[in-house]
């Protein structure tokens, strides 16, 4: 097992804000001259200030308790001093800083960095910033201050780093600017060590949507961290906060090879710890406590309120971490902040949280709604808060046999803060006018919405049909709360008429503005729209849109059932009483089935292989051979393979999956009122399409060479400065092409800005928002959009990329003036 050591010199603040203050002056220790504009801050917090031109400073409204004050000035050694503040105390300090002679003796000026340094910087970023989602939006602004040194021959994985100046970090995911006074950095394959002082500064924004996003990301970074764990232990809230602790079972063989299945190890190699037996020794004088884990020096931590795509155990998808403690104890302050991190080794999920996920120690999260598992009796008011409401929008009001229904589903919640704790699976059914369920589908819900398509059979008879949609959790409320949408299916020769829906200006608190790039489009021509959403004061709002573009000669707009505003603006009265729910919340797509064999009884183990990547899960059946497994996340279709095994691991039966539950259809809404005119030609031009008599079917052509191999004379017109190969991209497990490019290209930044009250992003190598972006070419064709290339890059599937070439300044030969002076990316 690999362990990742995370060591940072930290301060010891308690977080109760008081009227305590520190004032004083910063001087040169040798000349006693003032050091103007020196930095003074409480380590690892947002409390800080700069001295004035005479070296005087003042920090106000500081936390009471023990804190560490840091004084720093470029060219001087930093100075730290631990002090204890009481309420309303005013303390005066004089700091004398020594010149950093080692730094002054080793100043080097280089015009550029070599490729070796670039590779070392990439290694440093992976360890220092981390590889989480937040790391993709975190950037070191001044990487040139870093110097690297590798280990001796045979130990090339060992990397050392020092910084000649404070490392400036911009974290666009959490909304902080960090100044990291790095004192030492060491990493290898097994561990890493980061030491230094950190000052946090909150980014300022007038955009409420961006501020809300920052706060949501901060909460996600906090919950499940070891600070959250230790704070929960101090408050005797370990299990209610979602933590379950385990330790190695006493007397168990140390050389035992752990299984990938948690249920197999529980009770054999590991056992659950009782949080009430953790001893808490309180040191009230210094505002800290020592947590003693009763000779359990290694703790396995499961955070059951979270989910992770990177599973430690096949049968358990919550984050798993390990904490190793010297002397089976750790010192923390009253807010769970570790006081002696040098005696703690963290690995697993918590070990992945690096600088990109750091929060200031004075950060106080809002308490989120708890994840609902194993729910007991709920109060009537809670039932209302947990309500889910579905609305379906389709691309057309009516369809013909053989067509595809494209839809998007939106969910409204009784309490929007519950979104992440409620259903992740949406059920959809196609129903005929006789209330017969013809087809059933399942779709994954992400951030309150889902989307997909349903193919209507060519043999489908024209008539009245309906789409019914619901979640498993909604079944507790009754089918009267399901959403049902009429879907007329017409004969190909039917031409409907109805009330044409004309766009009307938005009224009330929300203003929607949709502007097409032009008024008239040709057949199959790309349509570009500019959509903005504003409140009554003109401030930009975030929106989740579903847009369908149709030809009015092909599809007649029909005024029909209620729209999403009508549906969601009418609250539904819930009278549930104090009941225990029968149907649980689904946090992933579920599979249910039965193992059938000759004996028709006895427990079995079912191995489930998901997709072509051979992701394996396992579940045990009950005595009747029934099983259920959940937690699968996928869009579109996924193939599964099943194998039933007995006690000795031999196949012992056939796996039969259960068919979806058939919930009786008790009521159907009125169908759309359509006036149909029967004609001799179909309304939809795609029907009865025939090739022209003069056409000729071309033979298929297979192109097997890449662009590099097939250009003129077999020579490249350019020599890439960086190449991102498909294998490297996939092995890196990047979430997007943007993240892969940032990992490979030094200096690349994604800069958010606001234009017409809309948040946009530009790809840049500096802080200038309206500077020219790099040229993007896809399959040799340059891509241009007035809104920039960011959106296009985020939509490129990583699986479709063969390679990406990056040209720094020599792309003009192939791409003209847009290929000069700026990096060119060729995909």
């Amino acid at each position: 097992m690999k362990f990742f050591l995370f060591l940072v010199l930290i301060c010891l603040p308690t977080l109760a804000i008081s009227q305590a203050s520190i004032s004083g002056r910063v001087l040169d220790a040798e000349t006693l001259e003032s050091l103007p504009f020196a930095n003074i801050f409480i380590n690892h917090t947002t409390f800080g200030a700069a001295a004035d031109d005479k070296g005087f400073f003042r920090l106000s409204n500081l936390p009471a308790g023990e804190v560490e004050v840091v004084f720093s000035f470029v060219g001087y050694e930093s100075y730290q001093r631990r002090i204890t503040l009481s309420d309303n105390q005013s303390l005066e300090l004089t700091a004398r800083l020594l010149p950093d002679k080692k730094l002054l003796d080793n100043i080097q000026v280089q015009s550029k960095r070599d490729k070796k340094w670039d590779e070392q910087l990439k290694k440093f970023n992976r360890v220092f910033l981390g590889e989480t989602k937040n790391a993709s939006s975190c950037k070191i602004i001044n990487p040139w201050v870093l110097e690297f040194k590798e280990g001796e021959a045979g130990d090339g994985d060992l990397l050392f780093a020092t910084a000649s100046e404070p490392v400036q970090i911009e974290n666009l995911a959490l909304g902080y600017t960090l100044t990291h006074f790095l004192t030492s950095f060491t990493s290898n394959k097994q561990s890493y060590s980061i030491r230094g002082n950190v000052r946090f500064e909150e980014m300022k924004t007038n955009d409420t949507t961006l501020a809300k996003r920052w706060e949501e990301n901060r909460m996600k970074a906090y919950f499940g961290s070891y600070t959250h764990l230790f704070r929960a232990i101090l408050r005797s809230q370990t299990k209610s906060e979602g933590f379950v602790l385990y330790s190695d079972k006493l007397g168990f063989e140390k050389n035992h090879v752990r299984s990938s299945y948690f249920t197999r190890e529980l009770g054999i190699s590991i056992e659950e710890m009782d949080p009430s037996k953790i001893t808490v020794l309180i040191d009230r004088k210094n505002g800290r406590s020592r947590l003693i884990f009763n000779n359990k020096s290694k703790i396995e931590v499961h955070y059951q309120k979270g989910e992770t795509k990177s599973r430690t155990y096949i049968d358990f998808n919550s984050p798993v971490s390990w904490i190793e403690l010297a002397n089976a104890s750790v010192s923390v302050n009253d807010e769970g902040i570790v006081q002696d991190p040098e005696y703690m080794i963290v690995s697993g999920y918590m070990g992945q949280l690096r600088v990109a996920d750091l929060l200031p120690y004075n950060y106080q999260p809002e308490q989120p709604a708890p994840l609902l598992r194993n729910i007991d009796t709920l109060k009537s008011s809670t039932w209302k808060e947990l309500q889910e409401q579905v609305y379906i929008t389709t691309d057309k009001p009516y369809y013909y046999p053989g067509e595809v229904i494209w839809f998007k589903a939106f969910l409204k919640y009784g309490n929007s803060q519950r979104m992440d704790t409620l259903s992740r699976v949406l059920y959809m059914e196609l129903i005929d006018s006789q209330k017969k369920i013809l087809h059933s589908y399942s779709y994954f819900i992400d951030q309150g919405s889902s989307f997909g398509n349903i193919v209507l059979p060519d043999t489908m008879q024209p008539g009245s049909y309906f789409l019914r949609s619901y979640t498993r959790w909604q079944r507790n409320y009754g089918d009267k709360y399901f959403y049902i949408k009429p879907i007329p299916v017409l004969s190909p020769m039917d031409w409907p008429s109805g009330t044409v829906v004309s766009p009307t200006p938005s009224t009330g608190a929300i203003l929607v503005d949709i502007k097409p790039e032009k008024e008239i489009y040709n057949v199959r021509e790309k349509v570009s729209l500019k959509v903005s959403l504003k409140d009554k004061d003109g401030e930009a709002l975030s929106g989740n849109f579903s847009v369908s573009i149709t030809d009015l000669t092909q599809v007649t707009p029909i005024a029909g059932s209620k729209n999403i505003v009508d549906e969601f603006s009418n609250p539904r009265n819930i009278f549930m009483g104090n009941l225990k729910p029968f149907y649980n919340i689904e946090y992933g797509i579920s599979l249910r089935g039965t193992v059938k064999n000759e004996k028709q009884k006895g427990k079995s183990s079912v191995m489930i292989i998901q997709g072509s990547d051979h992701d394996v899960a396992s579940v045990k059946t009950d005595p009747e051979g029934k099983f259920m497994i959940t937690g699968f996340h996928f869009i579109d279709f996924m193939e599964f393979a099943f194998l039933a095994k007995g006690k000795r691991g031999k196949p012992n039966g056939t796996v039969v999956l259960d068919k979806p539950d058939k919930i009786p259809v008790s009521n159907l809404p009125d169908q759309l009122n359509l006036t149909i005119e029967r004609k001799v030609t179909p309304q939809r031009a795609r029907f009865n399409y025939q090739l022209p008599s003069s056409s000729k079917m071309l033979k298929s052509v297979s192109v097997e060479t890449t662009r590099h191999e097939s250009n003129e004379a077999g020579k490249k017109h350019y020599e890439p400065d960086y190449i991102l190969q498909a294998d490297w991209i996939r092995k890196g497990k990047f979430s997007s092409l943007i993240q892969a490019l940032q990992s490979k290209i030094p200096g690349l930044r994604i800069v958010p800005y606001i234009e017409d009250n809309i948040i946009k992003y530009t790809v840049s190598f500096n802080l200038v928002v309206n500077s020219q972006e790099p040229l993007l070419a896809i399959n040799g064709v340059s891509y241009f959009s007035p809104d920039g290339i960011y959106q296009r890059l985020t939509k490129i599937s990583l699986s479709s990329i063969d390679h990406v070439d990056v040209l720094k300044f020599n792309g003009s030969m192939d791409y003209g003036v847009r290929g000069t002076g700026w990096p060119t990316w060729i995909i």
Side-chain angles (χ1 to χ4, degrees), residues 427-430 437-443 470 660-662:
Y427 292 94
M428 190 89 74
E429 296 167 340
L430 183 62
I437 300 174
L438 303 179
H439 301 283
S440 299
Y441 311 88
S442 300
Y443 300 92
Y470 56 92
D661 294 342
K662 295 285 186 178

Side-chain angles (χ1 to χ4, degrees), residues 87-114:
D87 289 340
N88 302 317
Q89 181 182 7
S90 296
L91 184 66
E92 291 191 7
L93 295 176
T94 299
R96 296 178 175 84
L97 306 187
L98 292 169
D100 192 344
K101 295 181 179 179
K102 183 184 299 185
L103 176 64
L104 295 175
D105 292 341
N106 290 280
I107 292 180
Q108 299 180 14
V109 178
Q110 296 182 351
S111 60
K112 64 178 182 179
R113 300 289 189 179
D114 55 22

